[in-house]
Amino acid sequence: MLFGAFEVKTIIEPFRIKTVEPIRMTTHREREAILRVARFNLFGVHAVDVLIDLLTDSGTSAMSSEQWAAIMRGDESYAGARSFFRLYDRVCEMTGFKEILPTHQGRASERILFDTLCSEGLIVPNNCHFDTTRANVEQSGAQAVDLVIDACKDPASRHPFKGNMDVDRLRALIEKEGRERIPLCMVTITNNSGGGQPVSLENLRSVREVCDEFEIPFFLDACRFAENAYFIKQREPGMSDRSIPEIVRETFDLADGATISAKKDGLVNIGGLLLFRDRDLALQARNNLILTEGFPTYGGLAGRDLDAMAQGFVEIVDEHYLAYRIRSVAYLGEKMVAGGVPIMEPPGGHAVYIDAGRFCPHIPPTQFPGQAVVVGLYRHAGIRAVEIGSVMFGGGEHDAPDMELVRLAIPRRVYTQSHIDYVAEAVVELYENRDSLKGLRIVEEPPALRHFTAAFEEC
Ligand code: F0G
């Protein structure tokens, strides 16, 4: 990147640090005891006992000084607060949508959307539903169908847009089931459940065309829309000269509506949005929103949260921020690959996914290789990651998942390059000692969503 005549080789964090939060250092022995108390489930470990927390990139962002200033501007009026109109203006400018409903987080937007549009016997296609999205579709009585392209399921494929929807399969689904059974089609950008991989504008246009042909509303799950736009700028032919705000606008222009968890690319700790083109639909959704979220101009949030979100949506489309963001995730992936660690390639926008099946082939899926890596990483270096494999998706009537993955999700603007170096070193060291990793068995599990509370023992 060029800054005047000086060619910069290292992409630096485009911020300096004004407030710090100490990390409590722990020893290997302490962590061993902590793991036993938590019964080898990292969701049971207290945050104070974690050195580097890569459990999620959701709600974990560091806010800027401007966002903290916006917090002080927050107007806590029940109806029609100034904060709402500041958020409204920013979101309208960025997305072009005029029907804008704030919610407390993404899954609230999902519940309201699917309550409004779905019912028993209907089908919702998506590239990959995130787990709360799937759960909310199913709660409405409808069925959630994933139609991502095949390259997404191949960890070694370096397809530039592995999040794309398979448009032929979308068309085949509509022709087979009938358009009246499909109340909406969704595409998730970036595709979190499929490795944080982007979706191209070309693919979104093709989905739009099919939706137009069959008169099906097209919605985005747009939690990571800015990261997706940056990948489009980098990877899609003809896009390198476009600005990020232009690409973001073109993306939203293709849709009839969107759900957004602002805990990701909104750069806030809490907040969400539900966007519509259609006024009647928005009216129905607003009536539903009042039941659980509050009055439609605050949607379950404090006024100050709305202001922090409005400012977050200004900062997220800054290209220097996005260059640093995407580069820092890729950097972690490259260091791990250089150390021989098998990951899902290429790294996604918000996370690196370790291919745990290949990381410890001596542990069968029945003994949860992903969980073994998660436990090993915490024991070795105090890093908290999350298993996305047979613990999360297996059990009960569920089929075994396609892959055994471990997600290292990077919070936004929180960790520096040396933290990332530490993570890469720890993962590579663990890989070098992978033969010492032990499989696990579940000794207690709840009837649903077992990964949050299951208890394990080492085999
Ligand atoms: N859609 C996607 C693609 C998500 O990644 C998430 C959350 C949601 C919807 C729901 O949003 O949490 O605000 O209710 N993903 C988090 C994660 C939890 O760790 O990936 P929410």
Side-chain angles (χ1 to χ4, degrees), residues 54-73:
L54 307 183
L55 192 64
T56 180
D57 66 318
S58 179
T60 51
S61 299
M63 291 210 295
S64 67
S65 45
E66 284 304 318
Q67 283 179 293
W68 284 108
I71 290 264
M72 289 306 295
R73 269 197 301 276

Side-chain angles (χ1 to χ4, degrees), residues 143-218:
Q143 187 194 343
V145 176
D146 290 350
L147 298 176
V148 71
I149 57 170
D150 286 340
C152 177
K153 292 167 200 146
D154 173 8
S157 159
R158 291 193 61 91
H159 189 295
F161 291 103
K162 277 173 108 168
N164 281 356
M165 182 175 259
D166 187 330
V167 183
D168 292 337
R169 284 174 64 208
L170 174 65
R171 176 183 289 282
L173 178 86
I174 302 169
E175 284 171 352
K176 176 163 174 264
E177 304 292 348
R179 74 124 335 263
E180 58 297 333
R181 288 191 65 198
I182 303 187
L184 77 161
C185 169
M186 275 196 117
V187 172
T188 305
I189 56 171
T190 58
N191 186 26
N192 184 13
S193 305
Q197 301 291 334
V199 178
S200 70
L201 267 179
E202 187 193 15
N203 186 253
L204 292 172
R205 270 189 225 109
S206 308
V207 173
R208 172 84 247 180
E209 275 167 27
V210 174
C211 288
D212 279 346
E213 188 182 324
F214 293 95
E215 294 179 28
I216 293 171
F218 175 32

